[in-house]
Amino acid sequence: MKLGYIGLGKMGANMVERFLEKGHEVVACDRNVDAVKAAKNKGAQTVDTLAVLIAALPLPRLVWIMVPYQAVDEVLKELTPLLAPGDVVVDGGNSPYRKSIRRAKELEARGIDFLDVGVSGGPAGARNGACIMVGGKKEVFQRFETVFRDLSVPDGYGYMGWTGAGHFVKMVHNGIEYGMMQALAEGFAIMKASDFGLDLTQITDLYNHKSVIESRLVGWLQSAFVQYGEDLKDIAGSAAQSGEGMWTVEAGKELGIPTPVIQAALDFRIQSQKNPSYTGRLISAMRNQFGGHEVKAKK
């Protein structure tokens, strides 16, 4: 199909390339001139404004937004007046699920449908196949199911439920991720500090051969050791948090569900801004490997 795509960052650029590879036509727009040029070189039709983007799409339109969650309302403010009843907007970023519910209601009042889509797998997943969680009207999901199938790994997409469910499930996924990364970082920091002179790179490889904690995170930690060395001296010891862990803890409080592990992982990241450590380096290194986050230590 032919669709519009707004946002050509690390995730968006790779996703557009995958769309093109799967035979879809993409009309893309971004404020970054270099990103637009790169998308054009890959085969996308690129435009300078949202008005031109919308005019280039057949009715009913599908427009995928892939921008930081703080910018979604700004994009919708410009985009919505250009749309017509029957059009569909997809938010594929990590937006707070309550804001997705609100946005869906505002668009529905204009006859425009909205799907909140959680995408897991980082830039590599966006390019090679992601895990995709969709919320919104089921009939709208079914209409565009081929799109989600084409973007995902085999059996790696699903309909989560009514509006907000896609971003809610992705939010909890990221909260769980906080806890898993924290446990791995603490464990490897303990091994690093021991008197055994352990080969941490070898241990990550060993753990990923059918141990109980075999995982992509362990594999990414191994890649970080290979790339930066086990001391991780070029990696910042303060681990950033982008919001989803905090939102998961807040949701747990609202629902009366204790989240001590995720809360502790969140607290560690916040405190690490003033108290960097090797544990923080380990978390930062994993974030760099799967998400491409900039985590170099300041010289």
Side-chain angles (χ1 to χ4, degrees), residues 120-132:
S120 178
R127 177 64 187 89
N128 302 311
C131 178
I132 295 176

Side-chain angles (χ1 to χ4, degrees), residues 48-297:
D48 296 328
T49 67
L50 296 188
V52 177
L53 182 147
I54 294 303
L57 298 176
L59 290 168
R61 307 175 185 94
L62 176 67
V63 181
W64 191 297
I65 301 174
M66 201 71 168
V67 300
Y69 72 88
Q70 302 93 329
V72 175
D73 280 332
E74 180 185 352
V75 171
L76 287 175
K77 184 178 180 180
E78 182 180 351
L79 177 67
T80 302
L82 304 171
L83 298 173
D87 289 344
V88 178
V89 173
V90 172
D91 178 4
N94 286 325
S95 288
Y97 76 96
R98 291 192 186 279
K99 291 190 177 182
S100 297
I101 294 171
R102 186 256 299 165
R103 290 164 183 153
K105 290 179 179 177
E106 292 172 352
L107 289 169
E108 189 174 11
R110 293 172 170 262
I112 301 163
D113 286 308
F114 179 87
L115 295 175
D116 53 286
V117 177
V119 180
S120 178
R127 177 64 187 89
N128 302 311
C131 178
I132 295 176
M133 310 147 220
V134 186
K137 294 179 182 176
K138 190 169 186 178
E139 61 269 23
V140 179
F141 161 75
Q142 291 171 334
R143 236 170 82 203
F144 297 103
E145 188 169 354
T146 299
V147 169
F148 302 118
R149 183 184 297 118
D150 285 348
L151 289 177
S152 71
V153 295
D155 301 318
Y157 73 96
Y159 175 70
M160 300 296 100
W162 63 77
T163 301
H167 281 157
F168 183 82
V169 173
K170 178 56 164 54
M171 174 194 76
V172 175
H173 162 285
N174 285 26
I176 294 169
E177 176 188 294
Y178 273 50
M180 293 174 67
M181 291 173 69
Q182 186 70 28
L184 284 171
E186 291 174 5
F188 275 85
I190 290 170
M191 287 190 281
K192 174 74 171 173
S194 76
D195 295 329
F196 290 108
L198 297 169
D199 184 333
L200 301 186
T201 308
Q202 178 193 15
I203 292 168
T204 55
D205 182 65
L206 180 62
Y207 279 174
N208 258 7
H209 282 82
K210 302 304 179 183
S211 83
V212 172
I213 62 168
E214 178 182 20
S215 67
R216 297 178 76 188
L217 286 170
V218 172
W220 280 317
L221 188 53
Q222 180 182 6
S223 297
F225 286 150
V226 170
Q227 182 175 354
Y228 297 106
E230 292 180 5
D231 288 336
L232 300 174
K233 61 182 180 180
D234 292 329
I235 299 293
S238 53
Q241 64 94 14
S242 52
E244 298 91 342
M246 179 177 62
W247 304 340
T248 305
V249 169
E250 291 171 350
K253 290 177 180 177
E254 291 173 7
L255 296 168
I257 306 296
T259 57
V261 172
I262 301 173
Q263 178 72 69
L266 174 63
D267 291 343
F268 174 87
R269 293 195 187 195
I270 294 171
Q271 293 162 8
S272 75
Q273 303 308 307
K274 294 182 178 180
N275 300 293
S277 64
Y278 183 70
T279 303
R281 288 182 191 174
L282 289 160
I283 294 171
S284 295
M286 284 184 274
R287 294 183 81 244
N288 172 257
Q289 291 296 312
F290 70 73
H293 302 287
E294 182 58 48
V295 291
K296 291 293 184 73

